[in-house]
Amino acid sequence: MAQKTWVRMVTAQTPTNIAVIKYWGKRDETLILPVNDSISVTLDPAHLCTITTVAVSPSFDQDRMWLNGKEISLSGGRYQNCLREIRARACEVEDKEKGIKIAKNDWEKLHVHVASYNNFPTAAGLASSAAGFACLVFALAKLMKAKEDNSELSAIARQGSGSACRSLFGGFVKWIMGKAEDGSDSLAVQLVDEKHWDELVIIIAVVSSRQKETSSTTGMRDSVETSLLLQHRAKEVVPKRIKQMEEAIKNRDFGSFAQLTCADSNQFHAVCLDTCPPIFYMNDTSHRQVKFLVSCQCASHSRSSSKFYMKCDDTKMVAYTFDAGPNAVLIAHNRKAATQLLQKLLFCFPPSSDADLNSYVIGDKSILKDAGIEDIKDVEALPPPPEIKDAQRCKGDVSYFICTKPGRGPGLLSDESLALLHPETGLPK
Ligand code: ADE
């Protein structure tokens, strides 16, 4: 190493993702190996993402990390797994301009600084650890010039947070559960990129929650140990559903996509109820949202013999999915459907009296404009959705809505002004 003063830095941006075929249950807790395959859609990083700057310098005397401006410990197993696996793949780095030369073996002795920032509240239950660990691994791999492709990197990100492996790609992504005991074949592959089905619109209802939720780690462990439905789901249901979902995505068959997405979310929450002690992630507002969506799309109900049939209108169909929390993720098949959906959502779930529209609907605000809504007065004047009898207005049940769409995978940010660490000191800006 030439001199002791240099700092080498890399900044990356990584999206979050939402599973449409859920990951729930590990067969190996340390390596984070799942009991079934899962499929997700990557969300546009313009609206939901993690930005992470990683730096290396001979002047650093320990590995350090700052998350959203606060220093956190890197001593946890999940961070240590990612750091160890990337360091093992580090290659020689030379930057003649800055007089930097790091030999392959030097990486063992050098320390890193990491600063990470989520552009959405970490506590909102929007898979921040998925984007976070994907970004950490991607950025470290670029810093250390690791030669692994994104699928290989996904198997490392997986050891930080399971669903992080799916954030290494844009579009629709499958996490293959794999068979190997060492987890080497448990990785993510891209099914289609974000351009394949770009008319989809995603609206996330961030639901106010007072209740402390069961962590995913604890919940999954309890489900694996006690739920018979989980065993049935993993062995019998998901393998067929994965094939059907892949077909639906390939053919842009929205009816099948929505039906499979809703059914899989429902089954995941049924597994939670089948767990001892039972886990409740959805709350009253979440249930109200499901009822609202079903009323919007099901034009008529009729009874025939002992069966209850619902005729769903394909053009009004909206896919819904709920993760380990009360937030609803709604997927509309195009802009027109999303505009109508947002009007109905704002009628049924208006902001509390003191909120302003600008912070109540965030992300792609052009959908609001299409809906002809410019301020709170327009929300108050919305007509009740004709499909819903005696529609109630539940003021304040939703904290805010995020309008977004399928998005791209990780990328490097070359603009130095976006770096979260100081180029000379390697400390947070
Ligand atoms: N957990 C939540 N957000 C994170 C981030 N940005 N990086 C690492 N872990 C996280």
Side-chain angles (χ1 to χ4, degrees):
M1 278 174 275
Q3 59 198 103
K4 283 233 153 207
T5 51
W6 55 262
V7 177
R8 175 178 153 78
M9 253 173 29
V10 162
T11 300
Q13 181 189 43
T14 300
T16 185
N17 72 81
I18 176 86
V20 290
I21 300 291
K22 301 290 186 195
Y23 150 53
W24 195 251
K26 299 184 186 87
R27 64 177 198 281
D28 184 309
E29 293 243 358
T30 316
L31 290 168
I32 313 193
L33 301 176
V35 295
N36 57 258
D37 292 350
S38 54
I39 293 179
S40 59
V41 56
T42 298
L43 306 182
D44 188 345
H47 307 128
L48 292 165
C49 74
T50 294
I51 293 179
T52 300
T53 300
V54 290
V56 61
S57 169
S59 65
F60 299 166
D61 53 11
Q62 56 172 320
D63 292 339
R64 296 176 76 181
M65 176 163 177
W66 294 264
L67 175 57
N68 297 322
K70 261 179 84 179
E71 183 155 17
I72 60 161
S73 165
L74 279 173
S75 63
R78 289 166 177 242
Y79 288 110
Q80 288 299 313
N81 289 344
C82 293
L83 284 164
R84 183 194 62 240
E85 293 300 314
I86 292 290
R87 275 199 173 105
R89 289 161 178 81
C91 294
E92 183 185 291
V93 171
E94 185 166 15
D95 182 339
K96 285 198 175 121
E97 226 171 85
K98 287 191 178 162
I100 301 173
K101 186 163 174 150
I102 310 169
K104 200 172 159 59
N105 295 334
D106 289 341
W107 285 107
E108 296 285 318
K109 295 166 255 157
L110 287 165
H111 294 289
V112 292
H113 282 184
V114 180
S116 193
Y117 168 77
N118 302 324
N119 76 345
F120 53 94
T122 304
L126 294 167
S128 55
S129 64
F133 278 100
C135 208
L136 175 70
V137 167
F138 183 80
L140 285 172
K142 301 302 160 201
L143 180 79
M144 300 185 188
K145 288 229 155 91
K147 301 209 167 56
E148 279 65 23
D149 64 23
N150 282 14
S151 262
E152 289 164 319
L153 294 181
S154 80
I156 300 173
R158 190 203 74 228
Q159 296 174 58
S161 162
S163 46
C165 72
R166 295 187 310 245
S167 273
L168 276 135
F169 294 100
F172 283 89
V173 185
K174 174 160 82 163
W175 175 7
I176 301 168
M177 64 180 284
K179 291 196 194 82
E181 264 187 39
D182 67 356
S184 53
D185 58 354
S186 184
L187 40 77
V189 292
Q190 186 176 54
L191 296 175
V192 293
D193 71 16
E194 62 278 14
K195 288 181 218 91
H196 170 79
W197 204 355
D198 64 352
E199 63 267 42
L200 295 179
V201 177
I202 301 169
I203 300 179
I204 305 170
V206 179
V207 169
S208 332
S209 165
R210 265 162 277 115
Q211 194 183 317
K212 174 87 191 88
E213 284 146 26
T214 312
S215 81
S216 298
T217 305
T218 310
M220 277 189 209
R221 188 180 303 140
D222 289 349
S223 293
V224 168
E225 282 170 7
T226 64
S227 170
L228 283 177
L229 180 57
L230 179 139
Q231 309 297 332
H232 170 69
R233 165 178 164 74
K235 287 196 190 74
E236 308 295 334
V237 180
V238 175
K240 287 189 199 107
R241 237 174 227 172
I242 287 277
K243 285 197 189 118
Q244 293 168 332
M245 183 59 97
E246 284 191 59
E247 273 299 291
I249 292 168
K250 196 174 82 190
N251 300 326
R252 292 188 285 258
D253 170 358
F254 189 78
S256 303
F257 171 78
Q259 188 269 325
L260 290 163
T261 298
C262 299
D264 204 67
S265 174
N266 292 343
Q267 189 175 66
F268 155 50
H269 290 277
V271 166
C272 291
L273 283 182
D274 190 46
T275 297
C276 185
I279 310 162
F280 307 95
Y281 285 125
M282 293 169 73
N283 65 15
D284 287 353
T285 305
S286 321
H287 292 134
R288 233 173 264 138
Q289 304 240 352
V290 173
K291 277 196 202 156
F292 156 83
L293 291 162
V294 172
S295 324
C296 286
Q297 66 203 18
C298 295
S300 64
H301 292 175
S302 66
R303 267 177 209 284
S304 160
S305 59
S306 62
K307 286 201 176 130
F308 183 54
Y309 292 104
M310 294 198 297
K311 278 202 196 118
C312 288
D313 179 347
D314 263 12
T315 63
K316 288 185 179 163
M317 242 169 124
V318 172
Y320 65 79
T321 187
F322 293 80
D323 265 353
N327 301 333
V329 178
L330 312 176
I331 310 177
H333 69 144
N334 59 26
R335 239 187 126 78
K336 190 172 165 215
T339 306
Q340 290 172 355
L341 172 67
L342 188 62
Q343 286 169 329
K344 292 174 197 169
L345 279 169
L346 287 174
F347 178 87
C348 294
F349 303 96
S352 49
S353 314
D354 53 349
D356 75 300
L357 190 62
N358 208 33
S359 47
Y360 196 58
V361 179
I362 61 170
D364 178 4
K365 290 179 196 276
S366 66
I367 297 169
L368 257 186
K369 223 173 160 202
D370 285 6
I373 300 168
E374 276 172 17
D375 54 36
I376 290 286
K377 280 196 212 84
D378 297 327
V379 174
E380 278 159 13
L382 280 167
E387 306 88 341
I388 308 176
K389 266 197 214 114
D390 308 320
Q392 305 283 312
R393 303 199 84 174
C394 306
K395 229 182 204 183
D397 277 14
V398 169
S399 297
Y400 55 98
F401 290 102
I402 307 169
C403 295
T404 186
K405 60 181 191 321
R408 63 182 156 79
L412 287 176
L413 301 178
S414 50
D415 181 350
E416 273 212 6
S417 70
L418 297 174
L420 303 172
L421 295 170
H422 204 279
E424 269 101 49
T425 61
L427 289 167
K429 276 183 177 168

